[in-house]
Amino acid sequence: STLAIATASGCTWSASGIPSWITMPATTQTGSGPLAYTIAANPGLARSATLTLAGRQVVVPQAAAATGVVPAPANLRVVR
């Protein structure tokens, strides 16, 4: 995906606070433009990161991994 960064022409900005599960090909740019990023699949519990992009904080949450286990309905009754 991409984020749109809008800033003054010639203004250099950077991205910081990037955890290992988020990758960006470039963390420093000049002027406005798209910021490409990739978020890796989550193998465990829900997680989040607070990135600083061009001086602004952005929270990136990611849901927990799917376990494949479906809980039984609350009204389930087993009859033998």
Side-chain angles (χ1 to χ4, degrees):
S1 290
T2 60
L3 291 171
I5 303 293
T7 187
S9 178
C11 179
T12 299
W13 57 270
S14 63
S16 62
I18 304 165
S20 61
W21 49 275
I22 299 176
T23 56
M24 294 180 184
T27 58
T28 301
Q29 294 187 27
T30 300
S32 299
L35 173 63
Y37 66 93
T38 302
I39 298 177
N42 189 348
L45 300 174
R47 58 190 177 184
S48 69
T50 301
L51 312 181
T52 302
L53 306 173
R56 304 282 179 135
Q57 289 191 332
V58 177
V59 176
V60 180
Q62 188 177 36
T67 62
V69 176
V70 178
N75 62 353
L76 177 66
R77 190 177 108 187
V78 177
V79 179
R80 291 188 195 187

